Amino acid sequence: MTDAAKQGRSEHWAAMWGQGLPRGAAFDTGDACVALSAWLQVHPAPGDGARALVPGCGRGYDTGALAAAGYNAVGLDLVDQAIDEAKKFFAELPAGHPLAASKEKVELVAGDFFEAELGEFDLIFDCTFLCALHPEAWEKWADRTVSLLKPGGRLVSLVFPICDKEGGPPYALLPDAVKGLIEPRGLTIL
C-alpha cells in the first residue's frame, strides 16, 4: 500500500480507467444509481441555485440525475480520464434521454476531493466513494465532507460493500463505521 493511497489518492482507479473501462463494466453501473433516483423523486432540489456534489463521479451518471432533479451538480473525479469519459457521455446524450435536458446544470471537474476549491453544497452524494478510499483516509474524508456542506446541507451516503473482508479497494464498510465518522462532526443519520 502506497502512502498516496493511504491519503486517499490510490493509483488503482487511474489504472482501471487507463485500461479503457467500458460503460457498465466493473464499478461503472452504466446509469444513475437506482436508490438515488428514487430518493430524488421524494427529495428534489430545495430551490434554484441549490448545489450538489458527487465525489468520485466516474462517467457522471449520478451527477446527471442530480441535475435532472434541479441541482446545479458538480461531478468530481481524481482521474482525468474519468472526467473525459463523463464529458463524452454528456456530449453524446440523444435529445430524448432523461438527462439530456439538464446537462447544462452539470459541471465536471478533474481534481482531488481533499484539495479542490469547490465551494459549499446543499447535498453531497457518496456512492462508493468512501469505500474507494483507504481506511486511513476516512477521518480526512469526514472532515472534508463536513467542510463542503452548507449549514443544513445533506450527505446522502450509500454504504457499500457491507461485509467483513481484508484489503481493497473497495474496502469493507459498515453502517456503524460511517455513523462513527459523521455523527461526531454534527451530521445526523436519517
Side-chain angles (χ1 to χ4, degrees):
M1 184 61 49
T2 67
D3 286 339
K6 291 178 181 177
Q7 292 300 312
R9 296 175 188 87
S10 175
E11 300 85 10
H12 175 79
W13 307 111
M16 288 190 78
W17 283 104
Q19 294 170 6
L21 183 70
R23 186 172 176 194
F27 55 84
D28 184 304
T29 60
D31 207 349
C33 172
V34 174
L36 174 64
S37 297
W39 188 83
L40 288 169
Q41 293 295 316
V42 180
H43 303 93
D48 287 342
R51 297 183 74 223
L53 172 66
V54 180
C57 71
R59 280 196 175 86
Y61 312 123
D62 296 328
T63 310
L66 287 159
Y71 285 94
N72 294 314
V74 177
L76 174 74
D77 207 291
L78 183 63
V79 181
D80 291 343
Q81 189 170 356
I83 293 300
D84 291 345
E85 288 293 322
K87 289 177 180 177
K88 181 179 174 186
F89 169 74
F90 283 101
E92 294 176 354
L93 282 175
H97 192 282
L99 302 181
S102 58
K103 64 184 180 182
E104 72 280 351
K105 294 185 80 154
V106 170
E107 178 184 357
L108 299 163
V109 178
D112 186 325
F113 173 74
F114 299 107
E115 296 176 3
E117 293 189 25
L118 301 166
E120 291 184 314
F121 296 91
D122 299 280
L123 182 138
I124 297 175
F125 179 61
D126 184 319
C127 178
T128 69
F129 181 66
L130 177 57
C131 73
L133 300 174
H134 189 280
E136 289 187 25
W138 290 358
E139 293 283 340
K140 188 175 170 184
W141 165 88
D143 290 338
R144 178 65 168 157
T145 296
V146 170
S147 76
L148 290 170
L149 282 171
K150 290 180 180 177
R154 290 181 160 181
L155 166 65
V156 176
S157 181
L158 299 184
V159 179
F160 173 86
I162 299 175
C163 62
D164 184 22
K165 72 176 190 99
E166 295 293 321
Y171 295 93
L173 197 55
L174 296 171
D176 283 344
V178 177
K179 184 178 179 180
L181 288 166
I182 65 172
E183 283 189 342
R185 291 164 173 85
L187 296 181
T188 305
I189 302 273
L190 302 175

